[in-house]
Amino acid sequence: MSGFGLKIIATNRVFYNGRAKFIVLPQSDGEIAVMAGHEDAMIAIVPGELRYQTEDSDEWHFAAVSGGFAQVINNRVTVLVLTAETPEEIDERRAMEAKEIAQEQLRQKMSQHQYYRTQASLSRAMSRLKVKDHSINH
């Protein structure tokens, strides 16, 4: 049992559908790794960096993902997220602008709801920049 079925679905497309040997998912308290034979589970995903290895390669594939969840059942992993972007799809300038706007908004007085929305925007921008940086450095 060297691998498992992996399907990563964003609201606008199937991001990946195939075999994998490893996936690392972002969680609120860090990351969780899933390999073949993992026990059945439901996993909450936060905006961040998702990475996986296909069954036939040791190369890591990176994606910036929004919040969602993953389901692990019978050696199959299904990831459902609002958005998933490869490093090549990320506009670095736009992500940097979004980060700067969110940081500026956090310095201003706002309601608790606005604060959490701004924190989420900052988190998304930073994860997109991190994923983009991986494509440059690898």
Side-chain angles (χ1 to χ4, degrees):
M1 182 168 34
S2 62
F4 57 90
L6 174 61
K7 193 168 197 175
I8 302 170
I9 304 168
T11 54
N12 63 339
R13 65 182 167 157
V14 174
F15 183 83
Y16 178 78
N17 186 18
R19 302 284 300 166
K21 60 183 170 186
F22 207 81
I23 185 168
V24 179
L25 303 163
Q27 291 189 295
S28 61
D29 59 350
E31 298 178 324
I32 185 169
V34 177
M35 297 174 18
H38 194 282
E39 68 182 350
D40 292 354
M42 288 294 292
I43 302 164
I45 298 172
V46 297
E49 177 188 75
L50 173 151
R51 59 191 185 277
Y52 62 96
Q53 288 180 325
T54 60
E55 195 173 52
D56 58 356
S57 171
D58 288 335
E59 179 184 349
W60 284 100
H61 300 272
F62 296 90
V65 296
S66 64
F69 67 93
Q71 177 185 50
V72 182
I73 294 180
N74 296 329
N75 211 38
R76 277 184 244 130
V77 178
T78 303
V79 177
L80 299 171
V81 290
L82 291 174
T83 61
E85 298 174 284
T86 65
E88 297 78 29
E89 295 170 326
I90 295 170
D91 181 338
E92 188 173 11
R93 183 185 54 75
R94 241 180 86 219
M96 186 62 79
E97 288 173 2
K99 175 186 170 193
E100 290 169 2
I101 289 168
Q103 287 174 326
E104 178 58 35
Q105 288 175 341
L106 285 173
R107 291 186 198 100
Q108 300 171 10
K109 190 172 186 167
M110 61 180 71
S111 71
Q112 189 173 12
H113 176 73
Q114 290 169 320
Y115 173 81
Y116 287 120
R117 285 185 62 121
T118 304
Q119 277 289 93
S121 295
L122 178 60
S123 176
R124 181 170 187 262
M126 292 182 71
S127 66
R128 293 177 79 227
L129 290 168
K130 181 179 178 183
V131 169
K132 185 69 174 179
D133 184 52
H134 274 111
S135 71
I136 295 168
N137 293 323
H138 287 98

